[in-house]
Amino acid sequence: MSRSHFNELKLSSIIIIAADLIAILATYLINEMVLNKAFISDTFEYNWESSFVYPVIFMSIISLCILSVGLYNQRLRETFNGITIRIFVGILLAYFIIKLIFSITILDEVSANFSEYYLFSTFLALALVRYIISKTPYQSIGIRRVLVLGAGERAKIIEQYMRRKTDRIGIEFVAFIPMSGDSENGIKNETKIELNQPLEQFVLNHDIDEIVIACDERRNVLPNDSLFICKKYGIKITDIIDFFESETGQVAVNQIYPSWIIYGSTNYYNPLHKSIDWLFNCLIALVIFALTWPIMILTAFAIKLEDGWKSPILYSQKRTGLEGKTFDIYKFRSMKTDAEKDGVKWAQKSDPRVTKVGNFIRKYRIDELPQLFNVIRGDMGFVGPRPERPQFTEEFELDIPYYNHRFNVKPGLTGWAQLKYPYGSSKQDAVEKLKYDLYYIKNRGFLFDLLILLRTAEIILFGKGR
């Protein structure tokens, strides 16, 4: 798996993950020794389960739950109180999962009884670790010094999409060097310099770790001999498209060439993958249905209670899916029954057409539970680009480059674009979301899908859906 799959896993993130794992393991061992009176009992011995199985179970589940509430998101903008709340939610989620595991397996139930003490102390330990780390300049550890060749239109995407401090964690842009042929409508607020010495000398004098090629014109412009020398010295040479993709988790749609699509390592479906993918998604859908059917019944009752017993519970819409084929998508009705009496419209933030029950179920993604049927039927998977309405896709295919490329994979209940970009309600939003969809299509795989599913829990638990 390439580094781009986990573009946010920088050295500062690794430090946090390692600190959390140490805190979880140390808390487990202390609890084991105290609760089993290891210090005062001469006969105490660790058995195979207590010395290996239980630590692995606890560390794995708690780590995954911490990941699922967004605490390993490098660009998370939260106060310490917000982080503490997320730790608590993650630990609470881990508690229920651990209890479930002990209830359905043959593992020793007596050992499971101390999980309340363990998890509470783990919460305190993780909160303490995060507090200590927040007081250190850990984000500056392992920072890469980057020099950009180019200050025109292609280099401008750095200024546009990596302008916040959180977008540049682990990166320091030393300078942008204007090149011959660069557009005048380029970099405005970054440090630009005129190179008055050989490139390799500047790179060595300023401890440059990476050179990004971002000039608008490349023919007879790039200092290839100097770049070759820099490469011999171990300096990383990166194209702006690859750099932008790796650092932001999206593809610069307006900057890529057709060759990116033709020669790229994009992952599509083959017959075997298609069958395994459907079976895997179908099994997950059945498990989720088994866990959520009471919520679905309560939702149906709430919709009837608000809008009357004759009002419909579900609604269906035509959506465009794999290979451009249309299918009917199912949701719990969250809008008034006459929501589209004046024709097809974008859903908006604070949309007046949304009912009170609808606002709640949209916030926590409950309205999408009927789409489990679409997953079982094979119209959708759990992870993929969100399916759009045919009325919009026909327009987007004409106006947005590479938009039809997203039809090469099955649409999903959640996706990389849903994690990285807010709710879209315009053509410009469709362009921005396509950048993330193309990144997903290029890098899709089991582990990447698992990461997206885990991080979708953050959207559900903290009510970020809409």
Side-chain angles (χ1 to χ4, degrees):
M1 176 172 291
S2 67
R3 187 177 74 88
S4 62
H5 281 74
F6 298 93
N7 62 293
E8 294 177 342
L9 194 60
K10 298 180 172 33
L11 183 57
S12 54
S13 295
I14 295 174
I15 291 173
I16 291 178
I17 294 171
D20 284 351
L21 288 174
I22 292 171
I24 295 169
L25 180 59
T27 309
Y28 174 84
L29 294 176
I30 291 171
N31 274 278
E32 271 283 83
M33 288 186 289
V34 171
L35 293 173
N36 287 285
K37 300 179 181 180
F39 291 125
I40 59 176
S41 175
D42 295 332
T43 61
F44 174 77
E45 292 183 4
Y46 274 120
N47 56 37
W48 185 79
E49 289 180 348
S50 62
S51 60
F52 179 76
V53 176
Y54 293 142
V56 169
I57 290 174
F58 281 111
M59 290 182 67
S60 301
I61 292 174
I62 293 174
S63 297
L64 290 175
C65 290
I66 293 298
L67 170 65
S68 70
V69 296
L71 284 173
Y72 295 140
N73 180 0
Q74 189 77 62
R75 293 170 174 81
L76 179 67
R77 293 189 289 273
E78 282 279 13
T79 63
F80 178 70
N81 288 339
I83 289 174
T84 303
I85 292 172
R86 286 174 181 261
I87 293 174
F88 177 78
V89 173
I91 293 295
L92 191 62
L93 182 62
Y95 172 78
F96 289 116
I97 294 175
I98 289 170
K99 281 294 187 183
L100 178 64
I101 289 175
F102 278 113
S103 67
I104 63 176
T105 63
I106 60 173
L107 294 174
D108 186 7
E109 189 174 352
V110 175
S111 296
N113 290 333
F114 79 87
S115 60
E116 291 88 346
Y117 305 102
Y118 173 82
L119 292 170
F120 178 72
S121 56
T122 302
F123 164 72
L124 295 178
L126 289 175
L128 178 62
V129 165
R130 291 303 177 114
Y131 178 78
I132 294 172
I133 288 179
S134 69
K135 300 300 180 181
T136 66
Y138 74 97
Q139 290 182 337
S140 62
I141 298 175
I143 195 166
R144 286 162 34 232
R145 291 171 58 81
V146 177
L147 177 68
V148 182
L149 296 187
E153 195 70 36
R154 289 173 73 81
K156 190 178 179 180
I157 63 174
I158 293 175
E159 187 175 70
Q160 288 178 320
Y161 296 98
M162 298 180 67
R163 61 185 180 275
R164 292 185 294 265
K165 185 178 179 180
T166 52
D167 297 327
R168 301 188 177 194
I169 293 174
I171 301 172
E172 178 186 355
F173 290 104
V174 177
F176 289 72
I177 300 177
M179 305 292 287
S180 176
D182 279 351
S183 167
E184 295 182 0
N185 184 30
I187 293 294
K188 302 294 184 186
N189 302 314
E190 303 287 346
T191 301
K192 292 190 289 186
I193 62 169
E194 294 291 339
L195 202 60
N196 53 12
Q197 58 183 305
L199 175 64
E200 62 271 24
Q201 184 177 338
F202 179 90
V203 166
L204 294 176
N205 290 342
H206 291 82
D207 297 321
I208 303 299
D209 299 302
E210 184 172 359
I211 299 173
V212 176
I213 309 299
C215 46
D216 292 342
E217 178 58 57
R218 297 192 180 190
R219 288 173 294 184
N220 302 319
V221 168
L222 289 174
N224 292 318
D225 292 339
S226 294
L227 288 172
F228 180 74
I229 294 172
C230 291
K231 196 171 184 66
K232 285 203 304 181
Y233 283 126
I235 310 301
K236 186 177 181 181
I237 313 295
T238 312
D239 181 78
I240 181 61
I241 301 301
D242 296 328
F243 175 82
F244 184 75
E245 180 182 329
S246 175
E247 295 301 325
T248 66
Q250 57 181 305
V251 173
V253 175
N254 296 326
Q255 301 292 338
I256 62 175
Y257 300 113
S259 57
W260 183 91
I261 302 293
I262 297 171
Y263 300 113
S265 58
T266 306
N267 295 319
Y268 297 129
Y269 293 101
N270 58 54
L272 179 61
H273 181 197
K274 188 174 181 180
S275 299
I276 295 174
D277 181 78
W278 174 81
L279 182 61
F280 176 74
N281 281 275
C282 187
L283 289 174
I284 294 179
L286 292 173
V287 170
I288 292 177
F289 176 77
L291 296 173
T292 61
W293 67 264
I295 297 174
M296 298 174 74
I297 290 176
L298 287 174
T299 301
F301 180 77
I303 293 172
K304 289 287 189 182
L305 195 64
E306 181 178 19
D307 291 339
W309 296 107
K310 293 184 178 181
S311 61
I313 297 171
L314 301 175
Y315 84 100
S316 65
Q317 280 183 343
K318 291 291 183 183
R319 296 293 176 98
T320 305
L322 182 64
E323 298 176 352
K325 297 176 182 178
T326 59
F327 66 96
D328 291 312
I329 195 173
Y330 297 95
K331 290 187 177 186
F332 282 120
R333 184 174 58 81
S334 60
M335 289 187 176
K336 299 173 183 176
T337 53
D338 60 350
E340 293 193 337
K341 62 181 180 180
D342 298 323
V344 176
K345 295 180 181 178
W346 284 99
Q348 302 290 332
K349 186 176 182 179
S350 302
D351 199 317
R353 299 174 297 167
V354 178
T355 64
K356 292 179 181 179
V357 172
N359 186 59
F360 179 84
I361 63 176
R362 283 158 68 95
K363 184 177 183 180
Y364 293 97
R365 298 289 183 95
I366 297 172
D367 63 319
E368 297 183 359
L369 285 175
Q371 290 171 43
L372 295 173
F373 174 72
N374 289 113
V375 173
I376 294 172
R377 198 168 66 173
D379 299 324
M380 301 172 63
F382 274 96
V383 180
R386 284 296 292 164
E388 196 53 81
R389 302 181 71 171
Q391 295 92 330
F392 296 137
T393 57
E394 291 173 3
E395 178 184 354
F396 293 159
E397 283 187 80
L398 294 175
D399 298 339
I400 301 176
Y402 309 108
Y403 187 82
N404 60 355
H405 195 56
R406 70 200 300 274
F407 301 141
N408 291 319
V409 299
K410 196 178 288 188
L413 281 166
T414 186
W416 188 238
Q418 282 67 50
L419 294 180
K420 305 291 286 185
Y421 192 80
Y423 190 84
S425 58
S426 68
K427 184 185 294 185
Q428 182 58 37
D429 288 332
V431 173
E432 296 302 319
K433 294 183 79 169
L434 177 63
K435 296 175 181 179
Y436 293 106
D437 286 335
L438 289 179
Y439 177 87
Y440 168 75
I441 292 168
K442 180 180 179 182
N443 296 285
R444 62 190 298 269
F446 176 76
L447 290 180
F448 195 24
D449 285 357
L450 181 61
L451 174 67
I452 293 171
L453 286 172
L454 287 171
R455 289 191 54 184
T456 299
E458 178 188 359
I459 295 175
I460 298 171
L461 291 171
F462 294 96
K464 293 185 175 182
R466 190 150 57 87

